[in-house]
Amino acid sequence: MRFPWTVVGAAILIVVSYLLLSWIVDGYFGGHIYPDDGVINSWAAPDSWSNWRDIVIVIMGVFWAIAGMLAIALMVILIFLALLIRRVVKENAVPAIDSLKDSLDNVRGTTEFAGETIVSPLVRTYAVVKGVRQGISTVKD
């Protein structure tokens, strides 16, 4: 289904390009790619610098209009891209960060549990032994 549209688009582009080229060649260079009888009141190439200036101004206006449309299209694409990245981050990164936070909470809980059940009794035992030694050394002296 795509191929026929491509062929039709290419044919239209070729015809428009031919007409544009023949208009330029016939008007500016005096060539006869298509007969002037088919165009009523056809015009010739400009004969003064002011006419050339006006033509250049019009062409530059067309280029500026195309540049403006491209800039608008680029802005729309950038906004769409920013929204797409935001959605991807919200859907994929936020759950991953939440999962990482849950894992860190589990590690914190495990270390607190190990500190309370293993380290605290050892510290208390060492403190008692140290206190007993200090007491014995005080009594001995």
Side-chain angles (χ1 to χ4, degrees):
M1 187 65 190
R2 201 171 185 177
F3 181 72
W5 288 110
T6 304
V7 170
V8 169
I12 290 172
L13 183 65
I14 289 170
V15 168
V16 169
S17 299
Y18 174 76
L19 289 176
L20 182 65
L21 180 68
S22 63
W23 175 66
I24 291 170
V25 169
D26 187 41
Y28 288 109
F29 303 113
H32 293 288
I33 293 179
Y34 67 93
D36 288 337
D37 298 336
V39 179
I40 300 172
N41 295 328
S42 63
W43 59 281
D47 54 355
S48 68
W49 286 108
S50 62
N51 289 345
W52 281 105
R53 181 201 61 215
D54 295 342
I55 291 171
V56 169
I57 289 172
V58 169
I59 290 173
M60 289 302 294
V62 170
F63 283 144
W64 277 104
I66 291 171
M69 287 187 283
L70 289 176
I72 290 170
L74 182 64
M75 290 299 293
V76 168
I77 289 170
L78 288 175
I79 291 171
F80 176 74
L81 185 63
L83 293 175
L84 179 68
I85 289 172
R86 182 177 179 192
R87 188 178 69 208
V88 166
V89 166
K90 185 184 264 186
E91 291 177 359
N92 295 333
V94 171
I97 292 172
D98 289 340
S99 174
L100 181 63
K101 185 177 181 239
D102 292 341
S103 299
L104 290 175
D105 289 341
N106 287 338
V107 169
R108 182 180 300 133
T110 303
T111 55
E112 287 176 5
F113 175 75
E116 291 173 4
T117 58
I118 297 172
V119 176
S120 293
L122 288 175
V123 169
R124 283 190 204 126
T125 305
Y126 180 74
V128 169
V129 169
K130 184 72 172 173
V132 170
R133 276 189 189 167
Q134 190 73 27
I136 292 175
S137 71
T138 304
V139 171
K140 227 178 165 194
D141 288 335

